[in-house]
C-alpha cells in the first residue's frame, strides 16, 4: 500500500498570504497524484488532477506541482472561502490512498 | 449535470447489515468506474471499494469478505452491501466516480452516515 504523508497537519494563515502544502508518497507514483478540498459538512471537491492539471471551474490561485514521490499544492493569495481541509490522493495503484489531510484556518 | 445521491445509511447494531445506494444522473454508471470512500467522524478519507466498467470489483482489506459492491444498469445505481458491521465501520460513506482506471474521483455524492452501535 502506498502511504501518503502530508505536511503540515494544520496551518493558520492570513488572507492574501500564500499557502504551500506538501505530500510525500512512500514510493514513486509518477504524476498520479490529485488534490481535494473539503469544507465542513461537505463532500470533497477535486482541485488538481495529475499533479498539476487544474480541474474544471477551479480558481486559478490553486496550483500543483511535483512528480515521483514529492508533490506540492499552492494557494496563491488565500481567500476566506479557502478555509478547509486539503487531501492528496494517489490513483497509481490499489488500494487507492489519501493523505491524512491539512487543515487550513483563516486568521 | 452529473449528480450522485446516496441513501440507505442509518443506525445498525454490531454484526448487522445495511445496503447503501448511489443513484447517478448525467452519466452512465456502467461506462465509468464507481467507488465508495468513507470518512469516520473527525477523521480522514478512506477508500473502500470500486467497481470497474468491465465489472471487476476490488476492496480495501478492512472490508474484504464483508462488503460487496454492485450496480444495476437499468436503474443507473451503484450499491454497497455491508454485512457483519463493526463499530469501526461507523462513517460517512461517499459514492464517487472516476471515468477510468487512473483518474481521480471527479464527482462525489453528498454522503450517507452509517452508525454501528448497540
Amino acid at each position: 500500500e502506498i502511504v501518503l504523508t502530508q505536511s503540515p497537519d494544520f496551518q493558520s494563515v492570513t488572507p492574501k498570504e500564500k499557502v504551500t502544502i506538501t505530500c510525500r508518497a512512500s514510493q514513486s507514483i509518477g504524476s498520479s497524484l490529485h488534490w481535494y478540498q473539503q469544507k465542513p459538512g461537505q463532500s470533497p471537491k477535486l482541485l488538481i488532477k495529475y499533479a498539476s492539471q487544474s480541474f474544471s471551474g477551479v480558481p486559478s490561485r490553486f496550483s500543483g506541482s511535483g512528480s515521483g514521490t514529492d508533490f506540492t499544492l499552492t494557494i496563491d493569495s488565500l481567500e476566506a472561502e479557502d478555509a478547509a481541509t486539503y487531501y492528496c490522493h494517489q490513483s497509481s495503484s490499489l488500494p487507492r490512498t489519501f493523505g491524512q489531510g491539512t487543515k487550513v484556518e483563516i486568521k | 449535470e452529473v449528480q450522485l445521491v446516496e441513501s440507505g445509511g442509518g443506525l445498525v447494531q454490531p454484526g448487522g447489515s445495511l445496503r447503501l445506494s448511489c443513484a447517478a444522473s448525467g452519466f452512465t454508471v456502467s461506462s465509468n468506474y464507481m467507488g465508495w470512500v468513507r470518512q469516520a467522524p473527525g477523521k480522514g478519507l478512506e477508500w473502500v471499494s470500486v467497481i470497474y466498467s468491465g465489472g471487476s470489483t476490488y476492496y480495501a482489506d478492512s472490508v474484504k469478505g464483508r462488503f460487496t459492491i454492485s450496480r444495476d444498469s437499468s436503474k443507473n445505481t451503484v450499491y454497497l452491501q455491508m454485512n457483519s458491521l463493526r463499530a469501526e465501520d461507523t462513517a460517512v460513506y461517499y459514492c464517487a466516480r472516476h471515468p477510468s482506471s487512473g483518474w481521480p474521483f471527479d464527482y462525489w455524492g453528498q454522503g450517507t452516515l452509517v452508525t454501528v452501535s448497540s
Side-chain angles (χ1 to χ4, degrees):
Chain A
E1 172 176 318
I2 296 173
V3 176
L4 298 177
T5 304
Q6 292 181 227
S7 63
D9 290 333
F10 176 83
Q11 201 164 9
S12 184
V13 188
T14 55
K16 298 188 179 180
E17 197 173 335
K18 181 178 179 178
V19 173
T20 300
I21 300 169
T22 64
C23 178
R24 175 162 288 178
S26 59
Q27 63 189 74
S28 180
I29 56 173
S31 60
S32 298
L33 190 284
H34 321 288
W35 292 96
Y36 297 88
Q37 176 194 67
Q38 186 180 33
K39 297 181 180 180
Q42 297 185 16
S43 55
K45 289 181 171 52
L46 179 62
L47 295 175
I48 303 290
K49 57 184 175 74
Y50 295 109
S52 61
Q53 300 174 19
S54 294
F55 187 58
S56 175
V58 173
S60 58
R61 63 182 179 275
F62 292 93
S63 64
S65 64
S67 67
T69 60
D70 293 299
F71 303 87
T72 301
L73 173 70
T74 301
I75 310 173
D76 283 320
S77 193
L78 187 81
E79 298 191 6
E81 65 185 31
D82 300 333
T85 300
Y86 294 84
Y87 294 93
C88 58
H89 164 64
Q90 66 81 19
S91 62
S92 176
S93 64
L94 292 179
R96 290 191 170 212
T97 50
F98 294 85
Q100 80 277 17
T102 296
K103 186 173 183 178
V104 175
E105 174 194 87
I106 309 298
K107 279 183 185 174
Chain B
E1 180 193 4
V2 171
Q3 261 199 319
L4 295 167
V5 179
E6 301 97 333
S7 61
L11 175 63
V12 61
Q13 292 190 336
S17 298
L18 215 52
R19 188 179 81 157
L20 306 183
S21 299
C22 171
S25 58
F27 71 100
T28 303
V29 156
S30 59
S31 298
N32 285 266
Y33 291 48
M34 299 297 299
W36 289 93
V37 176
R38 68 184 180 183
Q39 186 169 38
K43 302 297 184 182
L45 301 167
E46 179 189 15
W47 176 84
V48 173
S49 180
V50 64
I51 182 165
Y52 284 2
S53 54
S56 299
T57 59
Y58 299 90
Y59 301 91
D61 285 346
S62 57
V63 307
K64 201 172 295 181
R66 300 187 298 124
F67 289 12
T68 302
I69 190 171
S70 63
R71 67 187 180 208
D72 183 334
S73 299
S74 67
K75 296 182 179 179
N76 211 32
T77 297
V78 177
Y79 303 98
L80 186 68
Q81 177 67 43
M82 304 186 296
N83 299 331
S84 302
L85 282 162
R86 306 165 180 168
E88 54 264 36
D89 295 319
T90 294
V92 173
Y93 284 73
Y94 295 103
C95 168
R97 177 190 91 158
H98 56 100
S100 65
S101 177
W103 271 68
F105 294 108
D106 57 359
Y107 290 96
W108 299 62
Q110 84 289 351
T112 186
L113 176 62
V114 172
T115 303
V116 184
S117 175
S118 54

